[in-house]
Amino acid sequence: MNLKLLKALSEAFGPSGFEEDVVKIVKNNVPFCDIEIDAMNNVYLSLKSNTGNKPKLLLDAHLDEVGFMVQSVAKNGLISFVPLGGWVPTNVPAHTVHIKTETGELVQGIIASKPPHFMSEKEKSAPLELESLQIDIGASDRETVINVFGIQVGDPIAPHVIFNENSKSDFVFGKAFDNRMGCFAVIETLRLLSTIEELPYDVIGALASQEEVGTRGAHVTGQVTAPDMAIVFEGSPADDLYYDAQTAQCVLGSGVQIRHMDASYVSHRRLINFAKSLADAHEIPYQSAVRRKGGTNAGRLHTSGKAVPVLVLGVPSRYVHTHYNYASLKDVKATIDLAVKVATAPVQKLSID
């Protein structure tokens, strides 16, 4: 498993609409694919062995991470921002970020928080509003922020976190596991499939932009690729710390998550059953999940064209939509292994006669 690639993907700057750095990393790591990039930063990866006369299997993941955008710069040099994607306000303060300027420079800042010494009891107990937060880049006036650091209204902002592997476990730590874990799984699955001489499908990877702000990239990739079947890879929110063993459905170290339902789609039962049968036959650990909330690119893809059977495979990831994540390499491997088994199995008839 290429941990250097996983590290690069995790650390890359890439909030919704500003995925260019992630695209460059992908472009440099897929010699086994023909690559196309559209005007929206969507990336299309076609195996060089594709023939054009087989059913098309789409491997989907989204490139973007949750982030922010500069909205204004105050007289004292503090920067107001708006969210790109879903954040819980209390998770945001007192963490470091990078602001990417027009020239591509990454400026480090900290999301400012008032020390308790200066807070009234009323302030301490009041709900935190995202609109009240500001970023301090180490300047004392608006002119310095704009003229010296080059920061402008509209500049994108992303968490700044260094990836590392825990030497005492198989856990990895970093940012943006939702969904750089999915991007990594797509690339690794394509790499493994490229070594197989005869595949039942023409396989296309589509790494979509702007999922976190409305699955917008997948609206395009579904139309462009027109797949017969799709696998959506996600860094799925781990729930192992919040529920008991009978209730939790996204546990680190327990295998790939097979998602049956969320707010964006209801799974294709025959495809789910087929994937589970392959996992059982090859002893690939998995866990089934029914989600009350959330969604993935499957919501867009399964209603594209004449309808597309979609399988959602998740890598359990703790603390998604925050600065910091944990995931288990065992689960990453299980996700890739199951995807390869689905992609190499004989084409299934998934419609009703």
Side-chain angles (χ1 to χ4, degrees):
M1 196 176 297
N2 187 351
L3 290 185
K4 286 186 178 179
L5 173 58
L6 183 56
K7 174 181 171 67
L9 288 169
S10 172
E11 293 180 356
F13 183 97
S16 303
F18 301 90
E19 302 91 354
E20 293 86 357
D21 289 0
V22 192
V23 172
K24 290 176 184 176
I25 292 168
V26 172
K27 190 175 179 180
N28 291 331
N29 283 276
V30 286
F32 37 83
C33 289
D34 294 321
I35 183 168
E36 294 183 29
I37 304 164
D38 69 19
M40 199 177 180
N41 289 336
N42 297 310
V43 180
Y44 304 90
L45 306 171
S46 300
L47 282 181
K48 292 182 183 294
S49 60
N50 287 349
T51 65
N53 54 17
K54 297 177 183 177
K56 284 188 284 187
L57 172 62
L58 177 66
L59 306 181
D60 165 273
H62 67 87
L63 294 159
D64 58 318
E65 62 186 301
V66 291
F68 309 97
M69 180 183 285
V70 173
Q71 185 180 43
S72 63
V73 181
K75 184 178 180 180
N76 63 3
L78 293 180
I79 298 165
S80 294
F81 55 88
V82 297
L84 292 171
W87 289 89
V88 175
T90 52
N91 289 335
V92 176
H95 297 299
T96 54
V97 294
H98 273 156
I99 304 173
K100 193 173 188 180
T101 69
E102 188 179 78
T103 63
E105 181 182 358
L106 295 176
V107 178
Q108 182 170 294
I110 184 169
I111 301 176
S113 61
K114 185 186 287 188
H117 313 67
F118 306 126
M119 298 177 73
S120 66
E121 292 304 315
K122 184 178 180 180
E123 285 178 309
K124 290 178 183 178
S125 59
L128 182 65
E129 295 183 356
L130 201 59
E131 292 81 0
S132 69
L133 298 175
Q134 295 175 302
I135 295 170
D136 185 348
I137 62 164
S140 297
D141 57 78
R142 172 184 168 87
E143 289 70 26
T144 300
V145 172
I146 295 172
N147 298 325
V148 177
F149 287 92
I151 291 171
Q152 305 177 35
V153 170
D155 285 345
I157 306 163
H160 172 45
V161 180
I162 302 301
F163 176 95
N164 66 71
E165 181 184 4
N166 191 325
S167 61
K168 297 182 179 180
S169 73
D170 74 338
F171 283 16
V172 288
F173 167 87
K175 74 170 178 72
F177 286 5
D178 176 10
N179 188 29
R180 307 294 162 66
M181 277 294 176
C183 294
F184 179 74
V186 168
I187 294 170
E188 284 293 286
T189 301
L190 287 168
R191 181 183 64 79
L192 292 170
L193 293 176
S194 72
T195 66
I196 298 172
E197 188 169 331
E198 187 65 31
L199 293 170
Y201 298 95
D202 282 343
V203 185
I204 304 167
L207 304 182
S209 65
Q210 300 191 38
E211 189 268 358
E212 298 292 0
V213 290
T215 61
R216 296 170 186 171
H219 181 65
V220 177
T221 62
Q223 297 177 73
V224 171
T225 59
D228 296 288
M229 191 171 81
I231 301 175
V232 169
F233 297 84
E234 262 290 352
S236 291
D239 59 4
D240 52 350
L241 302 183
Y242 315 120
Y243 301 113
D244 61 31
Q246 291 72 42
T247 309
Q249 298 180 339
C250 198
V251 178
L252 264 69
S254 292
V256 55
Q257 183 198 67
I258 299 177
R259 189 177 298 196
H260 291 247
M261 172 187 168
D262 58 32
S264 70
Y265 100 126
V266 176
S267 65
H268 192 288
R269 186 57 184 264
R270 289 179 293 283
L271 180 52
I272 287 269
N273 289 346
F274 178 59
K276 289 169 65 177
S277 70
L278 288 174
D280 290 335
H282 296 280
E283 299 184 339
I284 299 170
Y286 69 91
Q287 45 197 318
S288 292
V290 173
R291 296 276 308 279
R292 288 185 170 90
K293 299 179 181 179
T296 72
N297 281 341
R300 291 278 191 182
L301 294 174
H302 83 290
T303 59
S304 63
K306 294 183 178 180
V308 179
V310 179
L311 173 67
V312 178
L313 301 181
V315 177
S317 303
R318 287 181 184 161
Y319 319 120
V320 298
H321 287 223
T322 75
H323 274 62
Y324 313 106
N325 308 143
Y326 279 116
S328 166
L329 293 176
K330 181 193 300 183
D331 300 332
V332 179
K333 182 179 184 303
T335 302
I336 296 166
D337 287 348
L338 183 53
V340 169
K341 293 302 180 186
V342 171
T344 54
V347 175
Q348 301 296 299
K349 180 171 174 49
L350 297 173
S351 60
I352 299 172
D353 291 325

